[in-house]
Amino acid sequence: MQDNTFWWRGGVIYQIYPRSFMDANGDGIGDLAGITDKLDYVASLGVDGIWLSPFFTSPMLDFGYDVSDYRDVDPMFGTLDDFKALLEKAHSLGLKVMIDQVISHTSDQHPWFQESRADRTNPKADWYVWADPKPDGTPPNNWLSIFGGAAWTFDSRRRQYYLHNFLTSQPDLNFHHPEVRQAQLDNMRFWLELGVDGFRLDTVNFYFHDAELRDNPPVPAGEAKTLGAPDANPYTWQRHVYDLSRPENLDFLKQLRALMDEFPGTTTVGEIGDDNPLARMAEYTAGGDKLHMAYTFDLLNAPRSAAYLREVLERFQRLAGDAWPCWALSNHDVVRSATRWGADEDPVAYPKVALAMLFSLRGSVCLYQGEELGLMEAEVPFERIQDPYGKVLWPEFKGRDGCRTPMPWENAEHGGFTAAGVEPWLPVETRQLPLAVAAQQDAPASVLSATRRLLALRSAHPALVEGDLQLVDVGEELLGFVRETGDERILCVFNLTGEARETRLPIPVSEALDGHGFTHERDGEILRLPPYQAAWFVL
Ligand code: GLC
């Protein structure tokens, strides 16, 4: 392990989606006890910590991203004591534990909203974003919900609309109200006092809205649309100037950081969906007084192309200063990278080189459950679709269930995720069964073994963990950069294509790092990389 306080800088965080990791009580839905049982496996990968997607009390309309009690565990996942046991086991294995905090909105079942919606004069009347209809009865402005339709729903009791950026059952809290900000900081303190090591902050740039409720302008014809939402979604037709990333958020993030600083060694990683995500990531993580890290959808929605990656990294480098990114290729909201980046061509070699690239970037990393197995996106038939987002935009966008199906542990019924004869909440993808953990565990050529080797390579070289990054010219088809810290400099080169590529090394190198399982040929200054291979050289 690295120095305790800064473990997160360059750390690798393994994301667990509790519903789909391991079902210990045999009801077809994963739970905390199941996760605890599998922590030895997680630690064996060589990651620094875990991020648990929400396990709090919730009606589960957005599968836990709609919280009705921030301080308790949903019975479906277990009890608070189960969480304490998980925390203890993780810590005994040297794993940090980050939990999801969904503080921008609550469930409509949360007692705060129940009170707020009762009338216009109760003590929580202004805790949510309420507004009068226009004189013609229509919503107060043109803001849209990411999950479809207007961002406003009419409530007959108050004869007003309330704001929701997601489902109608996820009313948006009014962060302009100081009591709301304090209540959410108090909820976070509860978990910090329990011993968690940090938070993944859901929709971190959505906390504040424009108090004047001004209309968003349209995206001018021919200009790039918003990242983070599928093309089929009209949400991408607006410039999100007034409904998110408001300037007031910076002061709140400083307040939040002050709380984190009371608990040394804790950290935050914010989720950013924005018109200018990289700039926002730089703004939110620079200066050491706001977030520690943030991630955007730039690589989560990325096409496979060295040129695209170069462009994203270049753009971020220009903005970065001391900002600290957290890169991810996959998570519970997007199509698994193996499928998105076309691993069908070579389902073993391709995921390995993608991981090699991810683990070599400057920043921290989120690795999504199953990514270490090279899992492809699951095909979920319409009648089994659970995600409300998918139901709205079907068939153009099939929702997020394809990356949320249960983890295959063994090549057996339901992948060993749940007891035989029990129907899991989402079907296990049969094409994933031959890629199960047990099938890859002892195979040196598997994606799983490569993940372990690559993470060992990363932690053995400080330049790969915390070094600066400088892009180098290795031709159009390859991606190359130098990582540098103190007296260590490493040149990293990746061939993400299915064809052998050749380039002239842009700088003199000494020996190549080995032990990672990739191959290359070198003839003086000429480097030849076979399909889907990577190389690291000490400078
Ligand atoms: C974030 C979560 C996503 C959720 C949404 C609303 O984007 O990652 O799963 O649906 O926020 O909370």
Side-chain angles (χ1 to χ4, degrees):
M1 286 295 279
Q2 302 147 258
D3 168 86
N4 236 3
T5 313
F6 296 104
W7 66 271
W8 54 271
R9 265 185 93 84
V12 177
I13 303 158
Y14 185 83
Q15 184 195 349
I16 294 177
Y17 193 70
R19 292 183 78 90
S20 294
F21 199 56
M22 183 64 201
D23 175 20
N25 70 354
D27 63 356
I29 300 172
D31 42 48
L32 295 181
I35 296 171
T36 306
D37 286 347
K38 294 293 185 187
L39 284 176
D40 292 291
Y41 164 75
V42 176
S44 80
L45 299 173
V47 298
D48 299 281
I50 57 173
W51 144 28
L52 295 173
S53 278
F55 51 80
F56 316 102
T57 317
S58 162
M60 301 289 165
L61 295 176
D62 191 21
F63 301 106
Y65 284 92
D66 46 336
V67 179
S68 55
D69 182 349
Y70 285 98
R71 300 192 190 193
D72 208 350
V73 172
D74 194 279
M76 165 186 295
F77 294 127
T79 62
L80 206 50
D81 280 338
D82 290 330
F83 178 72
K84 290 179 189 162
L86 184 158
L87 195 60
E88 201 178 299
K89 171 95 184 277
H91 285 166
S92 75
L93 292 166
L95 288 172
K96 304 288 185 180
V97 176
M98 298 179 71
I99 62 172
D100 226 306
Q101 292 288 279
V102 192
I103 63 171
S104 190
H105 46 264
T106 67
S107 155
D108 61 357
Q109 301 305 306
H110 195 290
W112 295 344
F113 189 69
Q114 299 287 317
E115 188 177 341
S116 187
R117 81 185 327 178
D119 54 49
R120 296 187 187 198
T121 53
N122 69 75
K124 297 207 168 40
D126 298 329
W127 276 41
Y128 292 82
V129 186
W130 292 98
D132 291 331
K134 285 185 178 165
D136 64 0
T138 56
N141 66 18
N142 72 350
W143 297 352
L144 293 173
S145 152
I146 297 182
F147 289 167
W152 298 96
T153 288
F154 187 73
D155 188 283
S156 57
R157 275 153 284 201
R158 289 182 54 143
R159 296 184 174 234
Q160 283 184 310
Y161 282 94
Y162 65 87
L163 178 70
H164 52 87
N165 290 298
F166 298 90
L167 297 174
T168 54
S169 57
Q170 291 169 299
D172 203 60
L173 281 162
N174 175 18
F175 268 71
H176 293 282
H177 199 312
E179 285 172 19
V180 168
R181 300 196 295 269
Q182 194 53 52
Q184 289 298 36
L185 291 172
D186 290 347
N187 283 332
M188 294 168 84
R189 181 182 290 280
F190 169 83
W191 293 102
L192 290 167
E193 284 174 350
L194 215 78
V196 304
D197 303 291
F199 301 124
R200 178 265 185 184
L201 298 167
D202 190 69
T203 60
V204 73
N205 58 321
F206 284 62
Y207 295 165
F208 285 82
H209 62 283
D210 175 40
E212 292 174 47
L213 304 182
R214 284 170 281 190
D215 278 344
N216 280 328
V219 174
E223 280 191 20
K225 292 181 171 175
T226 307
L227 273 166
D231 246 16
N233 191 341
Y235 186 83
T236 62
W237 301 359
Q238 293 185 355
R239 280 273 172 258
H240 293 278
V241 181
Y242 295 116
D243 52 349
L244 49 84
S245 297
R246 301 300 300 158
E248 295 91 337
N249 204 27
L250 293 174
D251 272 341
F252 176 68
L253 296 183
K254 288 182 186 164
Q255 236 184 313
L256 196 159
R257 178 59 174 261
L259 168 66
M260 303 306 291
D261 287 346
E262 287 181 42
F263 299 83
T266 60
T267 193
T268 50
V269 57
E271 177 204 31
I272 293 178
D274 189 270
D275 292 344
N276 297 300
L278 295 175
R280 199 66 62 206
M281 175 155 79
E283 180 185 31
Y284 279 16
T285 64
D289 60 349
K290 295 173 285 296
L291 300 183
H292 302 76
M293 315 176 260
Y295 74 80
T296 68
F297 286 77
D298 288 85
L299 300 194
L300 287 164
N301 286 336
R304 174 177 24 142
S305 130
Y308 175 86
L309 292 168
R310 203 160 37 238
E311 195 265 322
V312 168
L313 295 175
E314 214 157 42
R315 215 151 21 102
F316 185 69
Q317 288 299 104
R318 270 202 305 276
L319 299 161
D322 66 346
W324 196 256
C326 182
W327 299 109
L329 296 180
S330 288
N331 71 17
H332 66 297
D333 287 329
V334 299
V335 173
R336 283 187 177 275
S337 61
T339 296
R340 203 177 65 241
W341 284 17
D344 303 353
E345 292 164 31
D346 192 329
V348 177
Y350 180 67
K352 288 187 202 170
V353 73
L355 290 173
M357 191 275 302
L358 180 66
F359 297 155
S360 300
L361 293 176
R362 171 183 178 272
S364 304
V365 171
C366 282
L367 181 70
Y368 181 50
Q369 67 182 47
E371 201 175 355
E372 78 280 17
L373 305 174
L375 296 187
M376 72 291 277
E377 182 84 351
E379 285 290 340
V380 180
F382 182 71
E383 56 288 0
R384 292 293 303 266
I385 288 283
Q386 302 274 350
D387 184 13
Y389 194 10
K391 290 178 187 165
V392 169
L393 292 177
W394 181 278
E396 270 289 292
F397 171 65
K398 296 180 178 170
R400 302 165 294 177
D401 294 322
C403 64
R404 296 177 175 179
T405 56
M407 178 86 170
W409 295 100
E410 298 156 30
N411 191 348
E413 187 184 353
H414 303 320
F417 160 76
T418 188
V422 174
E423 194 54 39
W425 77 286
L426 275 176
V428 172
E429 167 60 78
T430 49
R431 288 174 307 148
Q432 292 180 355
L433 291 178
L435 301 175
V437 172
Q440 299 201 32
Q441 180 79 350
D442 300 316
S446 66
V447 181
L448 176 56
S449 300
T451 301
R452 292 190 169 121
R453 282 193 300 270
L454 288 164
L455 287 175
L457 177 80
R458 179 179 170 100
S459 55
H461 293 280
L464 294 178
V465 176
E466 58 196 344
D468 288 337
L469 180 146
Q470 223 177 354
L471 288 155
V472 292
D473 183 5
V474 283
E476 264 308 287
E477 303 286 351
L478 299 177
L479 178 69
F481 46 77
V482 173
R483 300 290 314 276
E484 172 171 9
T485 190
D487 47 13
E488 194 180 34
R489 290 177 79 206
I490 298 175
L491 170 67
C492 316
V493 189
F494 307 93
N495 180 3
L496 301 169
T497 76
E499 282 151 51
R501 306 278 177 192
E502 202 173 272
T503 186
R504 185 172 294 277
L505 285 169
I507 15 183
V509 300
S510 52
E511 90 263 28
L513 298 183
D514 55 20
H516 42 64
F518 288 90
T519 59
H520 67 269
E521 289 162 35
R522 201 177 123 211
D523 186 1
E525 288 177 12
I526 301 299
L527 170 69
R528 208 162 296 119
L529 282 176
Y532 311 116
Q533 297 301 306
W536 294 261
F537 298 98
V538 177
L539 301 181

